[in-house]
Amino acid sequence: IISNLMGQIHRIRFISGHKPGRINTTVSEHKEIVQALLDMNPEKAEEAMRKHLLSTREILLPPSDIDKQFEDFVRNSFSL
């Protein structure tokens, strides 16, 4: 599972890394996630992670009818 996940992460990095400004956006999003974790604020960490996943999705997938389904999946997958 971990190997498969790492493969997906590398694929996403390759695709999104070529988008202008994406690296700066990703670094900023990661900083928000880490800061929320350091602050021991699970609500803020969850919100920052959702924001990051959804912004990544926008880079990888064009808008379609599955948008609502994906957002529901993210929301349900990371419920604390």
Side-chain angles (χ1 to χ4, degrees), residues 6-70:
M6 290 307 297
Q8 292 297 326
I9 290 171
H10 288 300
R11 184 179 69 82
I12 290 168
R13 283 181 182 159
F14 178 78
I15 292 169
S16 64
H18 296 288
K19 305 288 182 180
R22 182 61 198 168
I23 292 173
N24 292 335
T25 300
T26 298
V27 169
S28 176
E29 291 169 350
H30 286 185
K31 285 180 179 180
E32 280 185 55
I33 295 164
V34 170
Q35 189 59 56
L37 293 171
L38 291 171
D39 293 344
M40 293 191 276
N41 185 335
E43 293 84 11
K44 189 172 180 179
E46 180 181 0
E47 179 183 330
M49 190 67 204
R50 286 178 195 275
K51 177 181 165 186
H52 175 60
L53 291 174
L54 292 172
S55 72
T56 300
R57 191 248 353 224
E58 288 176 8
I59 295 294
L60 299 175
L61 300 173
S64 70
D65 293 336
I66 66 164
D67 287 348
K68 176 79 168 97
Q69 292 173 357
F70 182 82

